[in-house]
Amino acid sequence: MKEFKAESKRLLDLMINSIYTNKEIFLRELISNCSDAIDKRRFLSLTDAKAAADFCINISVDKENRLLTIEDNGCGMTDEDMEKNLSTIAKSGTLEFKKEHKNDENLIGQFGVGFYSAFMVADSVNVISRAYGSDKAFKWTSAGAEGYEIEESARADAGTTVILHIKENDDDCRYDEFLEAYKISELIKKYSDYIRYPIKTDVPTTKKKQDGDGYETVTEHKTVNSMTPIWKKPKGKVKKEEYDDFYTATFHDYMPPLKQIFASLEGSVSYNTLLFIPSKAPIEYTSKDYKKGLKLYSDGVMIMEKCDELIPDYLGFIRGLVDSGDLSLNISREILQHNRQLKTIAVSLEKKIISEFKKMLASEKERVLYEKMFDEFGVSLKMGAYENFGEKKDTIKDILIFRSSDGHKYTTLSEYVKRMKDGQEFIYYACGDDFEQIEKMPQCEAVLEKGYEVLLLSDRIDEFVIKVLESYDSKKFKSVADKDALPVSEEKEKEVTEKSEQYKELLGAVKDALKGKVKEVRLTSRLKNHAACIAADGYVSLEMEKVLKDMPTGGPAAKAEKVLELNPDHAVFSRLCDAKDDKQKLSDYATVLYDTAMLSEGMEIEDAAAFAALVQKLI
Ligand code: ADP
C-alpha cells in the first residue's frame, strides 16, 4: 500500500470525519468528473473518429452489498494519471495555508470538494479505469487516509468506473438513502440536470399492469437529466437556486455567487455567455497559482477549461462560460490565441461586464452587492485602472468607488463631483490606514472644516490610481496634504510672506537642527488647531513613501521630500521663538515638533525611545 502525501491525507481525514451537512453533493462532483472526462474524449473524436462512442454516464445501486457505482465512457485514466489525479491534491500548499482553519464546512468548500468528497459517504472507494488509446486497465483502491493501491485490472472499453462502498447509518446521517433509486434520481435532477450527456439510472415507475388489472412498480433504466445546458434554457424558466447549484458544482465554490450576468450577441460573431461574480475570493486568488479564464464551448461542446484570452486581468475574478457556435471545434489552442473571433468576443464581454457594473451601481437594490464585490475584488479593478500607465483608466474610472468623509460611505467619482460645494475646485483625497486617523490629520481637518468632502484612501494602491487618473470630469484630484490644497486669501498670503522673512533665521535654525530630515521648514496659514504638519514636495507623497518602503525592490526605496510646516499663530511657535538663542532647547523643540507631526500623518518615527525620553525631559 502507498501512503497519501501529507496534504492529501489531511483532506481525506477531513472528508471521512466530515460533519459537512451537505454530503449529498458528492454525487454531483463525481458526475461532473465523468462529464469532464467525456468532454475530453469527445474532443478527441473530432479528429479521431475511433474515439467516438455513445457517450453516457451510468449510475447503479446494489443495496445488498451497499455499493453505488458511477460509470462513464470518457477519456479514462492510466495508472500514472491515477497516481497524479487521485492520490495528490492538485492545489498543493493551500491546505498548509489553511491549517488554522477550524471550520470544516468552509475548508471543504475552499477546495472545490472534488473526487475526495466520495469519502464523505463511502468507507472505501474503487476506481477502475482504462485510458482511451490504451489496452490496459487499472484499479485504484482506498479505504481512507491510510493509503491507496493501484493494480492492473480489466475493463472492456475506455472509461472509468467509480465504486463506492456506502457507510453504515450513524447518528449524523442516514447513508442508506444513497442506496435508494428514487434518491439517486432526485439528486441527479437537482444537481446535474444540465449535464450534456445522458445520465442513466434505474427509475422506479408505477405502471398499469400488462393485463390491465391494477398498477405495478417497474424499474426502468433511463435517462434522468434534461441535458439542456443551463445557459441555453430560457432565462425566465430557470430558478435562481438552479443557477446557484450550477455555479457551485461547476466552479467548485462553496458559496453561491453574488450575481450572475447573461449576455448574448448576434452578429459577425454570435455567442451566449453566463458569468458569475463570486461572493468570496478563493484563497489562491492573490497568489500566482490563480488562473483566470472562462470556460469556452463551441455550440455546447467544451473546448477549453480556462480560456485566458476571454477576460482581462482586472476582471479575472469573474467566472463563467462562453458558448459560441462560430468557433471551429478542432481549432488548436495556439491558433485560438490569435483568433479574431475570440478577440471580438472578449471586447464585447468586457463592455458588457462594465455596463452591468454601472447598472448595479445605479440600482438601489444592487448597489450593496456591488459594494460587497468591491470589498472583495476592488483592488483588481483599481489595478486595472493603474496598469500600463492608465491605458484603461477611462473605461474603469466610473466603476471605481471610494470611501468618503461623508459617513465613510462608498461613493463613485461622479457622485462626489455632483456633491461638490460652490467654489470647490478640487476632488480632495487623503491617505492613511484607518478613516478616523485620516480625518484627524491636521491638513485633512482644515479641508473638512471648509465643508468639503474628502475621499479616504486606505488601500495601498489608491494613491497610485489617483495619480494616474489625474482628474475626473475636469476636476483635478488634490491631496489634502498639498500646500495649495485650499485657496489662501491674498491678505493671509502676504502676512505669511512677511512673517517668513521676519523669522527666516529661526526657520533656518530649525531646519539645521533636524539634520537633513526635511528639505525645508516654512510657515503656513492653513493650520488652525495644530502647531505643525509635514507636507511633501515633489511626486512621492508620504503615503507612497510608506508603500514603497514595504515593497521588496532590493535597493533603497524612494522617499518623499518632506517639508515641516509651522503655524505662526500657534502658542508653540512663540515658545520656539523664545528658544532661538538656546541651541539645545531649539533642537529639542524642533525634534518633538517634527516627530509629532510625523505621527499625526501616520508615519513611523525613527527612534521611538529617544522621542519618549525627549518628551519626558521637556515635561
Ligand atoms: P477536479 O475535478 O476539480 O480537477 P477532482 O478531485 O474531482 O478535481 O478530480 C481530480 C482529477 O481526477 C480530475 O481532474 C481528473 O483528471 C481525474 N478524474 C476524476 N474522475 C475522473 C473520471 N471519471 N474520468 C477521468 N478522469 C477523472
Side-chain angles (χ1 to χ4, degrees):
M1 180 161 359
K2 282 192 174 178
E3 277 192 34
F4 285 106
K5 297 242 167 62
E7 288 205 330
S8 312
K9 199 165 165 218
R10 271 179 51 81
L11 184 57
L12 259 172
D13 261 334
L14 223 126
M15 290 294 171
I16 294 162
N17 304 310
S18 163
I19 48 153
Y20 194 46
T21 43
N22 212 11
K23 290 178 200 263
E24 63 188 32
I25 55 141
F26 79 93
L27 190 62
R28 123 194 138 184
E29 297 293 321
L30 297 179
I31 291 177
S32 100
N33 282 347
C34 296
S35 166
D36 291 349
I38 298 179
D39 270 343
K40 283 180 199 152
R41 179 159 165 190
R42 179 160 164 175
F43 187 68
L44 289 177
S45 73
L46 300 170
T47 46
D48 168 10
K50 285 202 291 299
D54 191 5
F55 294 119
C56 86
I57 299 163
N58 264 302
I59 302 182
S60 57
V61 286
D62 170 356
K63 243 177 170 170
E64 216 170 307
N65 296 307
R66 303 192 70 79
L67 299 180
L68 174 64
T69 304
I70 298 120
E71 198 172 4
D72 67 66
N73 49 359
C75 62
M77 281 178 277
T78 62
D79 51 343
E80 266 174 53
D81 293 337
M82 284 179 161
E83 187 73 48
K84 197 171 80 214
N85 301 330
L86 304 182
S87 317
T88 46
I89 297 177
K91 293 175 194 167
S92 127
T94 28
L95 202 60
E96 276 301 300
F97 182 76
K98 285 264 143 177
K99 239 182 199 148
E100 301 309 317
H101 218 297
K102 296 286 183 308
N103 186 340
D104 244 19
E105 203 133 328
N106 278 348
L107 184 51
I108 290 179
Q110 284 282 5
F111 272 98
V113 277
F115 170 73
Y116 284 175
S117 65
F119 286 94
M120 291 201 291
V121 299
D123 44 31
S124 72
V125 178
N126 285 338
V127 181
I128 302 162
S129 192
R130 179 170 149 190
Y132 175 74
S134 159
D135 52 6
K136 276 189 186 160
F138 293 91
K139 180 164 147 194
W140 180 96
T141 315
S142 171
E146 287 79 48
Y148 62 95
E149 267 169 26
I150 298 175
E151 60 195 316
E152 262 202 66
S153 182
R155 204 180 187 285
D157 184 19
T160 303
T161 310
V162 178
I163 306 163
L164 311 185
H165 186 265
I166 299 293
K167 290 183 187 177
E168 297 288 343
N169 290 344
D170 62 21
D171 295 345
D172 289 336
C173 184
R174 219 176 71 78
Y175 295 101
D176 283 1
E177 269 199 320
F178 303 124
L179 294 164
E180 301 287 353
Y182 82 90
K183 183 72 185 175
I184 298 298
S185 324
E186 187 188 301
L187 292 181
I188 297 170
K189 279 211 200 77
K190 182 168 172 191
Y191 293 111
S192 311
D193 189 61
Y194 57 85
I195 293 283
R196 287 183 23 267
Y197 306 103
I199 306 170
K200 295 184 180 169
T201 190
D202 287 341
V203 185
T205 358
T206 310
K207 277 197 166 164
K208 234 182 175 153
K209 277 188 177 166
Q210 289 276 330
D211 53 17
D213 193 12
Y215 290 86
E216 63 178 348
T217 302
V218 287
T219 302
E220 285 177 323
H221 195 70
K222 64 176 190 187
T223 304
V224 178
N225 55 326
S226 79
M227 288 192 281
T228 313
I230 196 163
W231 60 94
K232 291 213 168 161
K233 290 185 183 171
K235 249 200 269 178
K237 289 253 156 66
V238 186
K239 291 201 219 80
K240 179 174 180 306
E241 296 80 64
E242 291 176 64
Y243 284 121
D244 288 357
D245 282 338
F246 172 77
Y247 168 80
T248 41
T250 313
F251 300 99
H252 299 304
D253 198 347
Y254 67 106
M255 279 170 87
L258 265 184
K259 187 183 160 65
Q260 59 262 19
I261 299 173
F262 308 90
S264 55
L265 185 77
E266 301 284 336
S268 59
V269 184
S270 52
Y271 70 82
N272 279 307
T273 180
L274 175 55
L275 306 176
F276 297 94
I277 306 174
S279 298
K280 278 239 158 282
I283 36 180
E284 72 276 17
Y285 183 57
T286 46
S287 81
K288 56 180 186 326
D289 288 344
Y290 184 79
K291 296 216 165 30
K292 70 173 169 103
L294 302 177
K295 280 183 192 279
L296 184 61
Y297 287 79
S298 168
D299 214 7
V301 181
M302 193 178 73
I303 48 178
M304 206 185 278
E305 181 67 37
K306 274 199 172 167
C307 182
D308 173 65
E309 289 77 17
L310 280 173
I311 196 121
D313 284 348
Y314 74 95
L315 296 174
F317 57 90
I318 297 221
R319 290 169 170 168
L321 57 93
V322 171
D323 190 352
S324 169
D326 292 335
L327 292 167
S328 156
L329 262 179
N330 47 6
I331 201 166
S332 79
R333 276 160 207 232
E334 291 69 38
I335 294 174
L336 207 51
Q337 279 174 6
H338 306 288
N339 187 286
R340 269 193 30 234
Q341 291 156 324
L342 209 60
K343 289 220 170 76
T344 314
I345 297 177
V347 169
S348 130
L349 271 186
E350 184 178 359
K351 272 200 201 126
K352 171 73 190 170
I353 296 169
I354 301 256
S355 90
E356 206 62 32
F357 284 179
K358 285 183 185 164
K359 267 197 237 156
M360 286 173 83
L361 272 169
S363 140
E364 217 172 292
K365 217 171 91 214
E366 300 219 312
R367 173 80 172 219
V368 342
L369 291 184
Y370 191 84
E371 294 182 356
K372 265 196 198 153
M373 176 189 89
F374 208 84
D375 284 338
E376 278 301 303
F377 304 108
V379 171
S380 297
L381 300 183
K382 291 178 201 167
M383 277 303 285
Y386 172 71
E387 271 166 354
N388 296 329
F389 310 100
E391 188 191 337
K392 290 239 160 128
K393 64 180 180 181
D394 287 329
T395 315
I396 299 177
K397 64 182 188 223
D398 281 310
I399 55 165
L400 295 181
I401 48 179
F402 299 95
R403 296 279 180 184
S404 125
S405 57
D406 181 16
H408 299 176
K409 287 187 298 228
Y410 268 128
T411 179
T412 64
L413 294 172
S414 112
E415 289 160 353
Y416 179 102
V417 168
K418 280 198 196 104
R419 285 193 299 266
M420 278 172 73
K421 293 267 175 334
D422 281 347
Q424 179 180 347
E425 195 184 340
F426 304 115
I427 300 174
Y428 289 105
Y429 68 90
C431 310
D433 294 330
D434 80 85
F435 302 147
E436 261 120 51
Q437 178 241 324
I438 301 178
E439 284 172 326
K440 283 197 186 114
M441 276 167 24
Q443 303 100 319
C444 194
E445 259 181 16
V447 176
L448 290 172
E449 264 173 33
K450 282 281 234 181
Y452 296 159
E453 193 176 330
V454 177
L455 299 178
L456 308 173
L457 309 184
S458 61
D459 254 341
R460 318 197 110 204
I461 184 178
D462 284 341
E463 201 176 3
F464 294 88
V465 174
I466 294 285
K467 296 245 162 168
V468 161
L469 290 180
E470 290 171 66
S471 66
Y472 180 87
D473 200 9
S474 10
K475 304 278 187 295
K476 280 210 156 59
F477 288 100
K478 194 73 161 169
S479 162
V480 294
D482 276 1
K483 62 174 187 287
D484 56 353
L486 287 174
V488 186
S489 71
E490 260 178 45
E491 200 182 328
K492 205 68 188 147
E493 197 150 12
K494 199 164 150 233
E495 192 187 317
V496 169
T497 319
E498 279 168 15
K499 278 194 183 160
S500 299
E501 197 50 44
Q502 183 186 346
Y503 294 108
K504 199 170 167 188
E505 213 172 301
L506 175 73
L507 297 176
V510 173
K511 181 186 166 197
D512 292 343
L514 290 174
K515 300 195 184 92
K517 283 186 193 149
V518 294
K519 183 187 139 212
E520 195 190 338
V521 177
R522 65 183 171 223
L523 297 182
T524 181
S525 61
R526 62 175 156 154
L527 296 177
K528 287 205 175 62
N529 309 322
H530 296 266
C533 70
I534 305 281
D537 274 4
Y539 185 80
V540 182
S541 71
L542 295 179
E543 200 51 34
M544 287 163 95
E545 174 179 317
K546 269 199 269 177
V547 175
L548 294 170
K549 188 169 141 245
D550 292 347
M551 287 217 251
T553 50
K559 283 202 164 195
E561 293 179 326
K562 299 185 193 71
V563 174
L564 178 66
E565 293 192 346
L566 300 175
N567 177 359
D569 300 328
H570 200 279
V572 167
F573 188 73
S574 36
R575 298 287 291 275
L576 205 57
C577 295
D578 297 343
K580 73 174 189 302
D581 299 323
D582 182 340
K583 222 174 165 193
Q584 185 56 47
K585 213 176 200 176
L586 188 76
S587 154
D588 288 350
Y589 283 179
T591 308
V592 171
L593 271 174
Y594 172 81
D595 281 350
T596 48
M598 285 287 275
L599 288 174
S600 314
E601 300 291 340
M603 301 289 287
E604 277 172 26
I605 51 178
E606 268 168 34
D607 188 344
F611 171 69
L614 191 53
V615 171
Q616 284 162 11
K617 175 181 157 192
L618 293 178
I619 293 171

